[in-house]
C-alpha cells in the first residue's frame, strides 16, 4: 500500500478569489479560483494521484480497482463517502440548501449533502448565514425572494478564524465574503440555490435558482444555537489533537504537530490528511516505501490497513476518516 498525494480539481465559480493559488500553491490557472476539490471521487471534479505507482490515475479509478483501500466501514457501496474542499469566498456565496440522502438519491441519483466548515481565515467583518432567524413559510420565502428582502429572515453569524460549523442537510446557509474555509462533506454535488443576489454569470445570464426543490427539503424552523462550544484539546509530546466534528458520515480532527505523531490506519477506514499550515513528512513501517513530504495545501489519501504511520515536522493538519 502507498500513501497517495493528490492533485485537486478546480472550480471557477464567480464568487471566488485568488488566495488558493497565492497562499496554498494551487497550480490551477483559473480566475477566479473559488474551490479546489482536494480529495474527490465525484465525477464533477476528480482528484488525481501525483506520486508512486498510481501517478496519473484518478483516485476514483484506484479505489475501484482496490476497494479494500476504503475500509470495512464504508459498506456495500464501495465508494469514498466524503469530499474534501478548500473554499475561497471573495464574494458572498448564494443562499442555498442541500437535500438529505433519501431525497437526493430519489431525485438526483446522488448522495445528500451534510457538511462541516473549518474557518482557515476570515476578514474582520466576515459573516455567514446559518438558518432562519424566525419560523418561515413557503409563501413568505417566495415573496421575499421576489422582492429581494430574504436577508431580513436569515440568521447571520460573525465568523472567526478557527470556528467550526456543522451544516446538516436541510439547513439554509451561505458562506460570506472574506472567508477561507476547509469543507468536509458527503460526496455529493447537489445544491439548491434559494437566492443569488441577482448576479450575472460569465455568460451574461442570471444563475439558475431552484426554489421549488429547495422548499421541499429545507428546515423552516428557527436555526439552532450556533455558538461554538469549547472543544477538548489533548496535548502530547510533539503534538496536540482536537476532535472538531463527528457525524454519521465522517470524523474530522485538528492536529498541530510541533515534532511528530504516531497513529494507526486500521482496516476499518481510510484516512485523509489535509495540511493547512507548515510542512512535514509521513512515513510507514514499510522500509521499502519512501516518506511522502507535504506542505501547506497538500492533501494525502492513506489507504485503510496501512498500519502504523509517523507524521514528522511542524504543521497543522486536518485528519478525516469515516
Amino acid at each position: 500500500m502507498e500513501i497517495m498525494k493528490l492533485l485537486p480539481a478546480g472550480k471557477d465559480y464567480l464568487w471566488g478569489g485568488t488566495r488558493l493559488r497565492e497562499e496554498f500553491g494551487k497550480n490551477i490557472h483559473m480566475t477566479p479560483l473559488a474551490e479546489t476539490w482536494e480529495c474527490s471521487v465525484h465525477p464533477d471534479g476528480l482528484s488525481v494521484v501525483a506520486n508512486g505507482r498510481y501517478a496519473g490515475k484518478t483516485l476514483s479509478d484506484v479505489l475501484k480497482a482496490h476497494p479494500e483501500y476504503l475500509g470495512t466501514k464504508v459498506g456495500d457501496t464501495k465508494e469514498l463517502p466524503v469530499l474534501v474542499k478548500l473554499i475561497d469566498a471573495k464574494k458572498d456565496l448564494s443562499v442555498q440548501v442541500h437535500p438529505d440522502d433519501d431525497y437526493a438519491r430519489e431525485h438526483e441519483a446522488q448522495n445528500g449533502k451534510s457538511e462541516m466548515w473549518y474557518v482557515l481565515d476570515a476578514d474582520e467583518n466576515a459573516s455567514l448565514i446559518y438558518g432562519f432567524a424566525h419560523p418561515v413559510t413557503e409563501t413568505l420565502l417566495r415573496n421575499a425572494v421576489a422582492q429581494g428582502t430574504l436577508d431580513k429572515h436569515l440568521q447571520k453569524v460573525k465568523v472567526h478564524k478557527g470556528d467550526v460549523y456543522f451544516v446538516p442537510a436541510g439547513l439554509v446557509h451561505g458562506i460570506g465574503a472574506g472567508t477561507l474555509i476547509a469543507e468536509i462533506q458527503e460526496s455529493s454535488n447537489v445544491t439548491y440555490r434559494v437566492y443569488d443576489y441577482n448576479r450575472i454569470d460569465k455568460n451574461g445570464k442570471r444563475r439558475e435558482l431552484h426554489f421549488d426543490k429547495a422548499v421541499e427539503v429545507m428546515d423552516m424552523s428557527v436555526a439552532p444555537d450556533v455558538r461554538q462550544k469549547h472543544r477538548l484539546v489533548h496535548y502530547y509530546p510533539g503534538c496536540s489533537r482536537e476532535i472538531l466534528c463527528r457525524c454519521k458520515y465522517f470524523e474530522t480532527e485538528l492536529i498541530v504537530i510541533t515534532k511528530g505523531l504516531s497513529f494507526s490506519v486500521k482496516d476499518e477506514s481510510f484516512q485523509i490528511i489535509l495540511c493547512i499550515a507548515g510542512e512535514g513528512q509521513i512515513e510507514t513501517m514499510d522500509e521499502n516505501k519512501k516518506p511522502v513530504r507535504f506542505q501547506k495545501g497538500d492533501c494525502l489519501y492513506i489507504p485503510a490497513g496501512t498500519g502504523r504511520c509517523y507524521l514528522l515536522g511542524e504543521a497543522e493538519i486536518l485528519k478525516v476518516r469515516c
Side-chain angles (χ1 to χ4, degrees):
M1 292 184 185
E2 293 184 349
I3 296 174
M4 292 172 268
K5 183 181 287 189
L6 303 177
L7 298 174
K11 300 294 180 180
D12 62 350
Y13 304 136
L14 56 78
W15 43 262
T18 58
R19 297 182 68 181
L20 298 182
R21 186 164 52 248
E22 295 167 353
E23 300 177 28
F24 285 79
K26 300 303 173 183
N27 188 25
I28 299 175
H29 298 290
M30 292 179 175
T31 302
L33 181 57
E35 295 182 355
T36 51
W37 292 20
E38 297 294 327
C39 182
S40 169
V41 299
H42 195 283
D44 290 346
L46 295 168
S47 301
V48 175
V49 180
N51 65 314
R53 60 174 167 158
Y54 301 121
K57 293 182 178 293
T58 65
L59 180 61
S60 177
D61 284 344
V62 173
L63 296 180
K64 285 177 183 176
H66 297 278
E68 69 274 14
Y69 290 179
L70 289 162
T72 57
K73 287 183 69 176
V74 167
D76 296 335
T77 61
K78 296 300 180 185
E79 292 182 355
L80 185 67
V82 299
L83 197 164
V84 177
K85 296 178 179 178
L86 292 173
I87 299 175
D88 174 17
K90 184 177 181 180
K91 302 175 183 177
D92 292 333
L93 275 67
S94 62
V95 181
Q96 58 190 242
V97 68
H98 308 300
D100 63 17
D101 291 335
D102 290 341
Y103 187 96
R105 288 166 184 163
E106 179 180 352
H107 296 274
E108 308 289 352
Q110 291 195 52
N111 296 321
K113 188 177 172 186
S114 291
E115 61 195 32
M116 69 147 285
W117 301 331
Y118 180 71
V119 181
L120 300 171
D121 199 14
D123 290 349
E124 183 177 356
N125 295 314
S127 64
L128 55 83
I129 292 165
Y130 195 95
F132 294 109
H134 53 81
V136 297
T137 64
E138 178 179 343
T139 300
L140 183 152
L141 291 178
R142 193 177 293 276
N143 291 336
V145 169
Q147 296 167 10
T149 59
L150 182 63
D151 197 59
K152 68 181 183 181
H153 303 294
L154 300 170
Q155 176 175 238
K156 285 197 172 182
V157 181
K158 282 202 71 173
V159 65
H160 307 89
K161 181 178 180 179
D163 283 351
V164 179
Y165 296 89
F166 180 66
V167 184
L171 182 80
V172 170
H173 61 276
I175 297 174
T179 53
L180 192 65
I181 284 176
E183 178 175 291
I184 294 88
Q185 58 163 90
E186 289 183 77
S187 183
S188 174
N189 195 28
V190 182
T191 296
Y192 298 148
R193 294 191 199 101
V194 180
Y195 185 66
D196 195 44
Y197 308 99
N198 297 319
R199 288 184 291 200
I200 304 299
D201 66 17
K202 60 186 177 183
N203 299 313
K205 298 181 179 180
R206 289 185 180 176
R207 294 203 297 174
E208 182 183 5
L209 299 181
H210 316 95
F211 186 87
D212 291 337
K213 286 185 175 180
V215 294
E216 289 185 356
V217 304
M218 71 171 60
D219 182 350
M220 295 189 185
S221 60
V222 177
D225 184 359
V226 298
R227 288 176 297 179
Q228 298 306 293
K229 309 299 188 295
H230 291 292
R231 302 183 296 270
L232 184 62
V233 182
H234 296 276
Y235 293 93
Y236 304 92
C239 72
S240 66
R241 306 180 68 169
E242 178 182 357
I243 298 295
L244 300 181
C245 179
R246 279 195 182 110
C247 67
K248 65 183 289 187
Y249 305 104
F250 54 79
E251 173 188 287
T252 304
E253 183 179 15
L254 172 66
I255 301 176
V256 179
I257 305 166
T258 53
K259 290 184 179 178
L261 165 69
S262 170
F263 65 98
S264 289
V265 182
K266 299 180 181 180
D267 292 336
E268 287 86 350
S269 176
F270 63 88
Q271 298 200 26
I272 299 165
I273 297 291
L274 177 65
C275 181
I276 56 175
E279 60 183 4
Q281 68 179 41
I282 184 170
E283 56 189 53
T284 68
M285 295 185 69
D286 188 341
E287 296 179 354
N288 297 316
K289 298 291 192 299
K290 294 181 179 179
V292 178
R293 294 201 58 80
F294 60 85
Q295 61 185 7
K296 180 180 178 180
D298 285 341
C299 189
L300 311 176
Y301 184 92
I302 310 174
T306 294
R308 182 64 62 178
C309 294
Y310 303 91
L311 281 167
L312 302 170
E314 294 186 8
E316 295 180 23
I317 65 170
L318 297 178
K319 186 163 75 70
V320 181
R321 54 169 294 162
C322 74

